[in-house]
Amino acid sequence: METVLSGIRSTGNLHIGNYFGALKNFVKMQDENRCFFFIADYHSLTTHPTPDDLHGKVKQVLAEYLACGIDPEVATVYLQSDLTEIPELYLLLNMIAYIGELERTTSFKDKVRMQPDNVNAGLLTYPVLMAADIIIHKATKVPVGKDQEQNLEMTRKFARRFNTMYKTNYFPEPTAYNFDEALVKIPGLDGTGKMGKSEGNAIYLVDEPKVIRKKVMKAVSDIGPTQENQEMSEPVKNLFTLMNVISEADTFKFFIEKYNNCTIRYGDMKKQLAEDIINFNAPIRERIIEIMADDAYLGKVAKEGAEKARESARKTINDVREIIGFKQL
Ligand code: TRP
């Protein structure tokens, strides 16, 4: 059994790309491993120093994860800001992290470009805080996307350096969690790239039916195939990719055939796709609304999660203090 840890951004609602790209697998993963899921609310301050409605966003994100099937009875679900042990380990790790290596990370260089007026130290040490998040529970597996691979590499580096520096093998070196099936990349509705919040092309799990219909009907397509079995353009391929994960196999087949014999009407396809997305979202959306209205439940989940997480984190901090040589006088 592995110790799996996943950090969740606290900005932005979940969209169907998040669901099929990762969340669906988290739900399976929690039964087979010792899992920690936490909301990285400290990290959000590196880009949003005065976030509007921080509390509300954290609550929404937590409700959405629970609605998708993350089970707080099985996995440990908590907020980063509820554990003081994380900043404590972060401080200790900062002493063995070098400014040069932090400055060279691509994510730091990207952020400097994106927010030149707010190059704060938190931005520079973002990978150190992320390493603390991970090794505080001695996690061995971290499900991360491509964009987080370098941060995970840094985590391994700090864990290894700690071990070497203090002549111990205390921290394991975490690696990326590989799902059994290849991850599906869900495209956006604008004909290019993947679905994302910042791309503005996403369908959110909380979107109302009429919003979904509007977004799907507006999705980019093309002028239609002019010869049999014509290769698909990027936007049309994207629509079919979405249909493939969302709709029934027969529906997908039906429209593929229509495409191949040039009788397809994209309007019909989009109508069908929109209804299938609405049906898929409906139970999750209902759960989100239900959970959001239940402050007592959310409070209980956060409190019990923090207690479980703290127990594991406290043990690590006590061990680390001893390894480094802090003792009571
Ligand atoms: N950096 C991650 C992201 O942007 C969020 C994150 C913070 C995280 N701490 C983590 C992910 C620890 C995995 C493990 O998505």
Side-chain angles (χ1 to χ4, degrees):
M1 179 150 61
E2 306 273 4
T3 297
V4 181
L5 176 133
S6 181
I8 298 159
R9 280 177 235 213
S10 59
T11 46
N13 292 24
L14 286 176
H15 50 69
I16 57 178
N18 298 131
Y19 184 84
F20 288 101
L23 247 170
K24 196 172 145 231
N25 298 74
F26 282 16
V27 173
K28 268 193 267 165
M29 187 166 78
Q30 68 187 354
D31 296 320
E32 293 149 26
N33 302 282
R34 176 175 176 250
C35 279
F36 292 90
F37 298 111
F38 76 95
I39 299 182
D41 49 358
Y42 279 140
H43 274 113
S44 64
L45 298 181
T46 61
T47 48
H48 297 75
T50 56
D52 59 319
D53 195 20
L54 176 64
H55 177 72
K57 287 203 176 111
V58 166
K59 197 176 136 183
Q60 176 78 29
V61 172
L62 179 59
E64 293 188 349
Y65 273 82
L66 297 172
C68 287
I70 297 284
D71 183 353
E73 304 280 328
V74 180
T76 302
V77 184
Y78 61 100
L79 315 186
Q80 186 184 32
S81 60
D82 274 341
L83 296 201
T84 53
E85 288 80 3
I86 296 170
E88 187 171 350
L89 183 57
Y90 163 70
L91 177 136
L92 296 169
L93 291 179
N94 267 322
M95 309 305 174
I96 62 168
Y98 301 118
I99 288 185
E101 64 189 343
L102 295 172
E103 280 171 343
R104 281 192 297 275
T105 61
T106 42
S107 56
F108 178 68
K109 288 192 275 190
D110 286 348
K111 295 277 169 62
V112 170
R113 227 170 296 128
M114 271 150 54
Q115 49 182 71
D117 298 327
N118 181 21
V119 185
N120 60 72
L123 218 48
L124 182 69
T125 56
Y126 187 113
V128 187
L129 182 54
M130 181 156 159
D133 291 331
I134 297 170
I135 69 176
I136 194 84
H137 302 299
K138 301 173 82 170
T140 49
K141 291 284 170 197
V142 185
V144 286
K146 267 239 157 317
D147 62 324
Q148 296 297 316
E149 265 167 15
Q150 194 177 32
N151 281 336
L152 194 55
E153 181 69 49
M154 298 293 280
T155 301
R156 282 195 286 277
K157 207 186 252 189
F158 300 141
R160 210 180 305 133
R161 195 175 293 155
F162 179 94
N163 289 347
T164 312
M165 190 101 65
Y166 298 108
K167 301 189 177 52
T168 171
N169 55 10
Y170 187 70
F171 285 121
E173 289 183 31
T175 50
Y177 187 100
N178 290 317
F179 297 104
D180 297 338
E181 37 188 310
L183 290 185
V184 232
K185 194 177 104 187
I186 302 296
L189 297 171
D190 51 357
T192 54
K194 68 172 202 180
M195 187 176 284
K197 183 177 82 110
S198 32
E199 287 79 3
N201 59 12
I203 296 176
Y204 295 99
L205 294 174
V206 287
D207 276 347
E208 287 177 37
K210 66 170 192 287
V211 174
I212 295 177
R213 277 188 203 108
K214 206 166 141 198
K215 285 182 179 174
V216 176
M217 294 317 285
K218 266 186 19 204
V220 178
S221 59
D222 60 19
I223 55 160
T226 49
Q227 25 173 306
E228 287 197 8
N229 303 318
Q230 190 176 314
E231 204 181 318
M232 287 180 192
S233 67
E234 193 70 25
V236 171
K237 215 189 286 168
N238 287 352
L239 284 176
F240 274 104
T241 303
L242 264 174
M243 185 166 248
N244 195 21
V245 293
I246 295 270
S247 306
E248 299 281 344
D250 282 350
T251 309
F252 177 72
K253 215 174 121 220
F254 174 83
F255 285 102
I256 284 280
E257 275 165 18
K258 290 224 153 221
Y259 179 88
N260 284 336
N261 64 25
C262 303
T263 57
I264 192 160
R265 284 167 39 183
Y266 292 133
D268 295 343
M269 179 188 181
K270 287 182 190 175
K271 246 185 227 146
Q272 178 71 44
L273 180 60
E275 294 317 306
D276 291 343
I277 294 176
I278 290 166
N279 283 333
F280 168 78
N281 270 14
I284 301 181
R285 182 164 180 272
E286 251 166 61
R287 278 285 292 154
I288 297 173
I289 295 169
E290 207 176 282
I291 297 173
M292 275 302 273
D294 194 346
D295 281 334
Y297 174 67
L298 278 170
K300 178 168 168 280
V301 168
K303 182 164 169 280
E304 289 178 1
E307 275 162 17
K308 269 198 278 175
R310 199 172 293 128
E311 200 179 299
S312 145
R314 199 63 244 163
K315 177 164 185 334
T316 304
I317 282 294
N318 289 343
D319 293 344
V320 164
R321 291 177 69 96
E322 193 179 313
I323 290 168
I324 295 180
F326 293 106
K327 292 204 177 92
Q328 263 191 314
L329 282 180

